[in-house]
């Protein structure tokens, strides 16, 4: 009679996770522990996977300097001691759900079968505009999330994304991006949420909660400072001081960790004041873990570990770079093991790297695997994709959610004389973004991100263009179309046709803006930075030619960044901003133009008046935000942060502040009444700003401190109350401590950074207070009906 041997303690899900992980670490060799810190990306290497599919064309990289890194080891060799992550099984080439799940099972079987301990890999994918997979819903880009000012809606979207990913065996999503926009020319503005840290904090935390509610780990990126590169150049050095980093760049990360419980952080490529994030122990350990209490994993941005040697000159080779990254606090190297692996093992053997550092990182990685069930004795690869049967990655429910988000994100800058359109008889639809639905999609949407490698492969989802949507919206109108020009380039040969169409129409709808791509293959997106903020190519000239016809021209800007539109002021018959509104963007825009959809989007970034003189975000001290006359350059935007019109009207009044004197460790409430004074139902975003007129360091003219989207029927009213703790007025002082000072604190409430009709103040009393951690990071809001 034989007795079945009990599984080792680390396989027992009944034991505490910490106990299981310590038991496993005690059993592992150095090589096995180091293996958990590595990854393998088969989809990067042509023909490396077992899945059938079209052969990719050369070029069209989906990660920076991808061509610099040759084919990696066979998965069997890469997994001989185990493996930490499998990279982008679904997101590297066009593959069906059935093919993808089969490939995932195949790769996991190899990982488990090639090593002594048989530990599965954690699977990660991109999910910035939805699950980056063929046939998956493409939601609006992150800059459009910011335009909704609606965290609850973003949480719902992220939950839907997470459920689709989890059903296909994905454990971690590389999103959201928390980079606060500092220069609109930066190509990745479309991936960011906005230029205000509080808006970014609220939206990002909502995304984290939604994604992780589905059991998928959210990854905060890019930690930190990436968006402030000199000249807006991707990967450029960041000339930023510690104060700006602490007060502007870092609060969204702190909020997403402390309040939403984000499970992972990805380091930035950039160096801040000469120190690359991937080699900065103050950032990755002292602040992130010791001060904020983060307990998850830090994963490297793709190839940022070897970049410490090749791009930053911080090490002589990839192995030296790996040692620096591990010491700083990077736990897992993505997307392939280059600096870690054998390089780390060798340095531990020679004493250059301590095994304690390996244990520290391995412990964090293994805790997540235990929490995901990957260490359980009965876990099988087939089990992880058991929920994939019948999964529709672009379901009707997904598309409805994408439509709702697109509608709420579109910003009516100015209704002008033409909007909403009253069913004109003849409509000219012109511009390069009118009949190309790819212009609605961000650079991390699968059709723009991966399919350029596979010309001729279908997008996998229905992508109606604006032209198609307008024909459906205005079925009784005669619609003529002419592109006029391409998004980029200097070809004006189509101008004459576009002008003729406009001349023959009652109204012209001009769709201009961006086509997202990667590393110069688009006008927006990663590595697609702009020299200035003039519309790309000859689009501005096309608009001039259209306006000169005398036909009313409604301009719709479909873009990933704000462009300078000052030349259209007073000339366009209507002006609409659509920040890459996703696969349902066409119908959403058409609905706004017709008036079927009541616009409620607000600007998460300003619209500049002039194409130069950048950066120009609203979060500036007096000398950066006010035209004082000491410079001939006027920084005043054409449309301010938070601006957005509607087809009804609102008033915000009746300001009430609960206390006139508040201690520096106190709290007060701010209440206003918002009324819909028009004839249509609508939604307004009530915005609270604080201003510190006298401080020991320069402070912004004002800064968003609270907001609330309020839906009101025509004639309806509501009272909105913000509960403000004095922590929300804290800033980094002269001695680099976060403080609250006594003195006047000005209160401003309204509907944009330039429309603040309600003004008051409180006097902060007592001593200067040092604000530690934890601190109040959000401003609670209560809405009550005030209908008479």
């Amino acid at each position: 009679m034989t007795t079945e041997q009990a599984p080792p303690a680390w396989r027992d899900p009944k034991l505490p996770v910490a106990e299981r992980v310590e038991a496993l670490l005690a059993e592992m060799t150095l090589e096995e522990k180091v293996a958990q810190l590595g990854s393998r990306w088969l989809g990067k290497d042509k023909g490396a996977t077992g899945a059938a599919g079209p052969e990719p064309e050369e070029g069209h990289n989906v990660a920076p300097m991808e061509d610099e890194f040759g084919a990696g080891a066979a998965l069997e060799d890469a997994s001989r001691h185990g493996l930490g992550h499998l990279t982008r099984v679904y997101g590297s080439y066009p593959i069906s759900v059935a093919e993808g799940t089969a490939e995932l099972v195949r790769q996991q079987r190899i990982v488990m079968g090639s090593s002594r301990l048989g530990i599965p890999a954690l699977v990660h994918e991109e999910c910035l505009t939805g699950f980056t997979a063929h046939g998956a819903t493409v939601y609006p880009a992150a800059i459009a999330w910011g335009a909704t000012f609606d965290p609850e809606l973003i949480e719902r979207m992220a939950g839907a994304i997470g459920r689709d990913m989890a059903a296909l065996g994905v454990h971690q999503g590389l999103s959201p991006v928390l980079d606060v926009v500092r220069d609109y020319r930066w190509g990745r503005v479309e991936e960011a949420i906005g230029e205000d840290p509080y808006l970014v904090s609220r939206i990002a935390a909502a995304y984290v909660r939604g994604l992780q509610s589905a059991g998928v780990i959210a990854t905060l990126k890019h930690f930190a400072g990436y968006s402030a590169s000199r000249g807006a150049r991707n990967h450029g050095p960041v000339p930023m001081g510690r104060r700006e980093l602490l007060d502007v760049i870092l609060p969204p990360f702190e909020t997403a960790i402390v309040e939403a419980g984000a499970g992972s952080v990805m380091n930035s490529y950039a160096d801040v004041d000469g120190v690359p994030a991937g080699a900065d122990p103050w950032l990755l350990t002292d602040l992130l873990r010791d001060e904020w209490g983060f307990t998850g994993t830090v994963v490297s941005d793709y190839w940022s570990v070897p970049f410490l040697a090749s791009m930053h000159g911080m090490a002589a080779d990839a192995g030296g770079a790996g040692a620096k990254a591990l010491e700083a606090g990077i736990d897992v190297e993505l997307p392939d093991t280059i600096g870690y692996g054998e390089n780390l093992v060798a340095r531990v053997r020679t004493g250059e790297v301590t095994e304690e550092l390996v244990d520290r990182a391995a412990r964090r990685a293994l805790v997540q695997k235990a929490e995901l069930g990957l260490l359980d004795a009965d876990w099988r690869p087939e089990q992880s994709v058991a929920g994939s049967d019948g999964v529709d990655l672009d379901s009707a429910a997904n598309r409805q959610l994408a439509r709702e988000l697109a509608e709420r994100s579109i910003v009516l800058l100015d209704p002008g004389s033409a909007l909403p359109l009253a069913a004109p008889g003849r409509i000219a639809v012109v511009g390069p973004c009118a009949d190309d639905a790819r212009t609605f999609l961000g650079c991390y949407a699968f059709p723009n991100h991966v399919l350029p490698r596979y010309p001729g492969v279908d997008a996998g989802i229905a992508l109606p263009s604006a032209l198609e949507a307008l024909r459906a919206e205005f079925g009784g109108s005669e619609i003529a179309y002419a592109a006029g020009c391409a998004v980029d380039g200097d070809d004006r040969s189509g101008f004459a046709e576009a002008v003729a169409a406009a001349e023959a129409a009652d109204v012209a709808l001009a769709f201009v803006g961006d086509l997202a791509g990667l590393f110069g293959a688009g006008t927006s997106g990663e590595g697609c930075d702009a020299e200035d903020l003039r519309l790309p190519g000859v689009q501005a000239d096309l608009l001039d030619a259209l306006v000169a016809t005398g036909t009313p021209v409604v301009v719709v800007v479909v873009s990933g960044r704000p462009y300078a539109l000052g030349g259209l002021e007073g000339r366009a018959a209507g002006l609409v901003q659509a920040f890459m509104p996703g696969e349902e963007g066409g119908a959403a825009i058409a609905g706004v133009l017709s008036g079927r959809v009541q616009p409620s989007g607000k600007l998460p970034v300003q619209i500049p008046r002039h194409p130069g003189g950048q950066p120009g975000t609203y979060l500036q001290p007096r000398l950066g935000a006010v035209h004082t006359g000491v410079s001939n350059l006027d920084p005043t935007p054409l449309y301010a942060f938070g601006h957005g019109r509607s087809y009804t009207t609102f008033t915000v009044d009746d300001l009430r502040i609960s206390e006139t004197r508040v201690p520096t460790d106190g709290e007060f409430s701010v209440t206003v009444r918002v009324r819909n004074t028009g004839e249509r139902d609508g939604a307004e975003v009530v915005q609270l700003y604080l201003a510190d007129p006298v401080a020991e360091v320069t402070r912004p003219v004002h800064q968003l401190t609270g907001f609330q989207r309020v839906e009101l029927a025509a004639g309806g009213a509501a009272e909105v109350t913000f509960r403000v703790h004095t922590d929300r007025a804290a800033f980094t002082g002269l001695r680099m401590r976060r403080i609250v000072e006594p003195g006047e604190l000005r209160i401003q409430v309204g509907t944009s950074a330039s429309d603040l009709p309600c003004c008051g103040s409180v006097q902060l009393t007592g001593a200067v207070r040092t604000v530690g951690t934890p601190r109040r990071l959000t401003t609670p809001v209560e809405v009550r009906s005030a209908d008479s």
Side-chain angles (χ1 to χ4, degrees):
M1 181 177 181
T2 60
T3 302
E4 186 174 334
Q5 187 175 0
W10 59 270
R11 290 286 195 190
D12 187 352
K14 297 178 182 178
L15 295 177
V17 166
E19 184 177 331
R20 296 173 67 190
V21 169
E22 292 308 314
L24 177 54
L25 284 172
E27 187 173 331
M28 299 175 88
T29 65
L30 172 63
E31 287 81 1
E32 288 168 338
K33 289 186 285 190
V34 167
Q36 293 301 312
L37 315 184
S39 58
R40 184 71 183 93
W41 187 6
L42 291 188
K44 175 180 73 71
D45 302 331
K46 187 176 180 180
T49 71
E55 285 293 304
E57 284 192 352
E58 296 296 329
H60 299 292
N61 286 347
V62 299
M65 301 182 69
E66 185 179 334
D67 293 337
E68 300 295 316
F69 302 94
L75 187 56
E76 291 83 355
D77 294 332
S79 306
R80 67 184 184 279
H81 299 297
L83 188 67
H85 277 235
L86 285 170
T87 297
R88 296 185 63 169
V89 176
Y90 295 95
S92 300
Y93 47 88
I95 191 171
S96 69
V97 168
E99 291 167 335
T101 55
E103 175 63 12
L104 180 60
V105 169
R106 185 188 79 87
Q107 292 190 26
Q108 287 282 31
R109 282 289 178 195
I110 292 172
V111 170
M112 296 172 68
S114 299
S115 62
R116 177 178 71 94
L117 297 173
I119 300 171
L122 191 150
V123 179
H124 76 258
E125 296 282 352
E126 297 281 2
C127 55
L128 186 58
T129 62
F131 184 9
T132 303
H134 193 227
T137 303
V138 180
Y139 297 92
I143 192 69
W145 310 349
T148 69
F149 276 70
D150 192 342
E152 291 77 15
L153 179 57
I154 303 310
E155 185 170 344
R156 285 168 49 205
M157 176 198 70
I161 294 169
R163 288 189 293 273
D164 285 342
M165 296 173 77
L168 270 60
V170 178
H171 307 113
Q172 182 166 344
L174 305 186
S175 190
V177 170
L178 280 68
D179 295 301
V180 177
V181 174
R182 301 300 281 163
D183 190 327
Y184 306 139
R185 297 171 299 175
W186 189 48
R188 305 191 81 166
V189 166
E190 65 167 70
E191 299 178 52
I193 293 166
E195 67 182 54
D196 179 85
Y198 187 63
L199 175 63
V200 176
S201 297
R202 290 285 313 282
I203 297 293
Y207 185 100
V208 169
R209 284 191 291 267
L211 195 73
Q212 294 192 163
S213 71
V216 176
I217 298 168
T219 306
L220 312 180
K221 57 187 189 181
H222 306 88
F223 193 63
Y226 186 28
S227 58
S229 58
R230 184 179 283 117
R233 185 176 183 273
N234 196 39
H235 290 212
V238 177
M240 178 187 291
R242 183 65 60 87
R243 181 174 290 104
E244 183 179 352
L245 191 70
L246 289 168
D247 287 351
V248 178
I249 301 298
L250 292 173
F253 292 93
E254 183 180 3
T255 303
I257 289 165
V258 173
E259 298 208 344
S264 187
V265 169
M266 175 180 279
N267 73 288
S268 160
Y269 286 122
D271 72 74
V272 178
D273 195 23
V275 182
D280 189 351
W282 170 79
L283 183 69
L284 299 182
T285 298
D286 299 350
L287 178 74
L288 178 64
R289 296 192 183 275
D290 298 342
E291 185 171 335
W292 293 351
F294 177 67
T295 59
T297 56
V298 176
V299 299
S300 78
D301 205 344
Y302 283 16
W303 295 301
S304 64
V305 171
F307 281 173
L308 292 176
S310 62
M311 302 295 286
H312 295 293
M314 294 282 290
D317 53 29
K324 285 187 175 292
L326 184 70
E327 181 180 3
I330 291 181
D331 302 310
V332 180
E333 181 183 9
L334 304 181
D336 272 315
T337 308
I338 296 176
Y340 285 7
E342 293 178 355
N343 286 311
L344 276 184
V345 171
R347 280 166 170 76
V348 172
R349 299 287 188 216
T350 62
E352 182 180 339
V353 174
T354 67
E355 191 163 353
E356 286 76 13
L357 288 176
V358 172
D359 289 349
R360 180 182 74 172
R363 181 176 292 110
R364 295 164 181 164
L366 291 170
V367 163
Q368 288 191 331
K369 287 193 174 184
E371 292 172 341
L372 290 164
L374 298 178
L375 302 186
D376 295 356
D378 61 352
W379 190 91
R380 298 291 182 272
E382 294 80 4
Q383 167 192 334
S384 70
V385 296
S388 66
D389 290 346
V391 167
D392 180 358
L393 294 180
D394 191 32
S395 66
N398 282 6
R399 292 198 72 102
Q400 177 56 39
L401 185 54
R403 172 82 68 94
E404 183 179 357
L405 208 159
E407 291 176 348
R408 290 196 181 184
S409 72
I410 294 168
V411 183
L412 177 62
L413 298 175
D414 183 2
S417 60
L419 296 179
L421 296 174
R426 296 170 300 171
I427 304 174
V429 179
V430 297
C433 298
D435 197 28
D436 186 352
R438 294 176 304 159
T439 61
F440 296 155
L441 314 181
C443 72
Y444 270 77
F446 196 89
N448 286 346
H449 193 72
V450 175
L451 289 187
R453 281 182 164 179
Y454 301 91
V457 174
D458 184 81
I461 54 175
L463 278 177
S465 69
L467 178 61
E468 293 172 284
L470 289 166
R471 284 175 171 156
E473 190 79 24
F474 296 99
S477 298
E478 177 185 332
I479 294 180
Y481 164 70
C485 64
V487 168
D488 207 3
D490 58 4
D491 185 359
R492 292 172 167 79
S493 61
F495 276 27
E497 183 184 7
V499 166
E503 289 175 334
D506 299 315
V507 65
L509 306 180
F511 286 78
V512 295
D514 284 319
L515 176 59
L518 296 167
F519 313 114
T523 59
S524 174
E526 184 174 359
C528 298
D529 311 313
E531 293 181 356
D532 59 33
L533 295 174
R534 179 181 168 90
L535 283 163
V538 294
Q539 294 182 81
D541 297 335
L542 175 63
L543 291 178
D544 286 341
L546 294 171
V547 170
T549 65
T551 298
V553 178
V554 174
V555 178
V556 181
V557 183
V558 182
S559 65
R561 65 165 62 84
Y563 284 105
L565 303 177
L568 294 171
E569 187 178 18
R571 300 170 66 213
L575 196 54
V576 174
Q577 174 68 57
F579 289 112
M580 292 185 173
E583 64 181 28
E584 287 289 325
I589 294 170
V592 167
L593 294 177
S594 72
R596 174 178 55 82
V597 173
Q598 173 70 287
S600 62
K602 296 287 187 173
L603 287 175
V605 288
Q606 299 192 123
I607 301 294
R609 186 178 300 274
H610 306 295
Q614 300 306 311
T617 66
Y618 96 98
L619 206 59
Q620 303 283 343
R622 182 172 176 79
L623 285 177
V626 179
H627 191 205
T628 60
V630 298
S631 169
N632 63 309
L633 298 179
D634 184 356
T636 306
L638 182 62
Y639 297 107
F641 173 83
H643 170 82
R645 298 283 301 278
S646 172
Y647 295 140
T648 187
T649 54
F650 295 91
T651 61
V652 178
D653 57 18
D654 193 19
L655 174 69
R656 284 157 281 159
I657 302 173
S658 63
E659 310 288 341
T660 58
R661 297 177 63 82
V662 179
T664 54
D665 62 350
E667 187 174 86
F668 59 94
S669 65
V670 177
T671 300
V672 295
R673 178 179 56 192
V674 55
R675 292 181 295 171
N676 183 341
T677 55
E679 298 180 354
R680 288 190 55 174
D681 298 349
E684 182 58 277
V685 178
V686 180
Q687 303 166 39
L688 166 68
Y689 293 79
L690 296 183
D692 190 350
V694 179
E696 67 176 48
V697 297
T698 60
R699 301 288 295 132
V701 171
H702 51 214
Q703 183 168 356
L704 184 70
T705 308
F707 64 87
Q708 181 63 46
R709 187 178 190 275
V710 182
E711 296 192 17
L712 291 172
E719 286 194 344
V720 181
T721 298
F722 300 92
R723 222 161 17 93
V724 184
H725 193 277
T726 53
D727 281 0
R728 304 290 295 119
F731 61 92
T732 302
L734 281 172
R735 294 170 178 81
M736 300 309 297
R737 296 177 300 141
R738 183 174 281 113
I739 60 171
V740 177
E741 284 186 311
E744 182 188 11
L745 186 65
R746 292 178 183 166
I747 314 299
Q748 302 171 326
V749 187
T751 59
S752 79
S754 66
D755 183 10
L756 299 167
C758 297
C759 299
S761 67
V762 299
Q763 193 73 20
L764 300 184
T765 63
V768 174
R769 178 172 66 92
T770 299
V771 179
T773 303
R775 62 189 178 104
R776 310 292 175 87
L777 295 164
T778 57
T779 302
V781 189
E782 180 182 354
V783 179
R784 299 181 303 276
S785 173
D787 292 339
S788 56

